Amino acid sequence: MNTSEFISLLGEHQDKPLLFEYAPGMLVGANYHITEVKHVSIDSVDCGAGTDSWKETIIQLWESPSELGKRDYLSAYKALGILRKVGKMTAYNMDAPVKIEYGNTMFHTAHLHVTGFNVNDGQLIVKLAVNPTDCKAKELCGIPETTSAEATSCAPGSGCC
């Protein structure tokens, strides 16, 4: 999801509490705060000497230890207000992918991709996922592409070992 789509999503659901699902069935606590919004420019060189560049919007979430047990989530309206204020201070690249930076004592800090959303029981639930690392120069490095079936053929319980 890009920055424009994320901001539009919040605008369409301003009346709802905003929840983030960082893993299946695992929600960021209601004690979260948006603590930083980063406009990131990345210039990279991959293992095949290929260059690339792109921009990202990274929204950092932090769970306040002093608010453990809090039940009311930040509203999409308030989150939208924060993002609009940031946008007035430093312009967004609206086409940039939006990522959520989050971690807690049970989950490593990561830049999570927004994979979708649900509206359940009057709540806007933003679905997040970790993208694994990958080799961008597979052909040049002689690494064959794998199909998802091959990648999981030796998964636990598959009987291959």
Side-chain angles (χ1 to χ4, degrees):
M1 179 176 289
N2 70 27
T3 302
S4 176
E5 294 165 333
F6 186 74
I7 290 172
S8 293
L9 177 67
L10 296 179
E12 293 167 15
H13 298 282
Q14 292 184 54
D15 60 326
K16 296 174 180 63
L18 177 60
L19 288 71
F20 292 93
E21 185 179 69
Y22 63 90
M26 302 299 293
L27 297 172
V28 173
N31 58 325
Y32 82 83
H33 293 263
I34 295 174
T35 52
E36 191 171 27
V37 178
K38 304 172 188 178
H39 304 284
V40 179
S41 296
I42 298 168
D43 294 309
S44 71
V45 179
D46 65 34
C47 60
T51 60
D52 198 0
S53 64
W54 66 93
K55 298 194 180 294
E56 297 176 351
T57 300
I58 301 174
I59 301 167
Q60 183 183 80
L61 305 181
W62 170 73
E63 292 176 341
S64 170
S66 67
E67 295 177 295
L68 288 175
K70 182 178 176 184
R71 294 178 176 261
D72 295 327
Y73 284 88
L74 181 75
S75 69
Y77 173 80
K78 184 158 184 181
L80 182 60
I82 293 167
L83 295 181
R84 284 181 175 157
K85 183 175 183 177
V86 169
K88 288 178 183 174
M89 297 171 73
T90 307
Y92 290 102
N93 175 332
M94 298 304 270
D95 293 327
V98 68
K99 294 183 180 178
I100 306 299
E101 182 178 64
Y102 173 73
N104 64 29
T105 58
M106 305 294 285
F107 182 78
H108 65 283
T109 300
H111 290 174
L112 302 161
H113 296 260
V114 177
T115 60
F117 68 93
N118 289 334
V119 176
N120 291 338
D121 298 323
Q123 299 174 320
L124 174 58
I125 304 169
V126 176
K127 305 280 190 168
L128 307 173
V130 176
N131 272 2
T133 58
D134 194 13
C135 175
K136 291 183 179 179
K138 286 183 182 75
E139 187 174 304
L140 186 62
C141 294
I143 300 169
E145 288 286 336
T146 57
T147 65
S148 59
E150 290 172 337
T152 59
S153 64
C154 274
S158 67
C160 74
C161 303

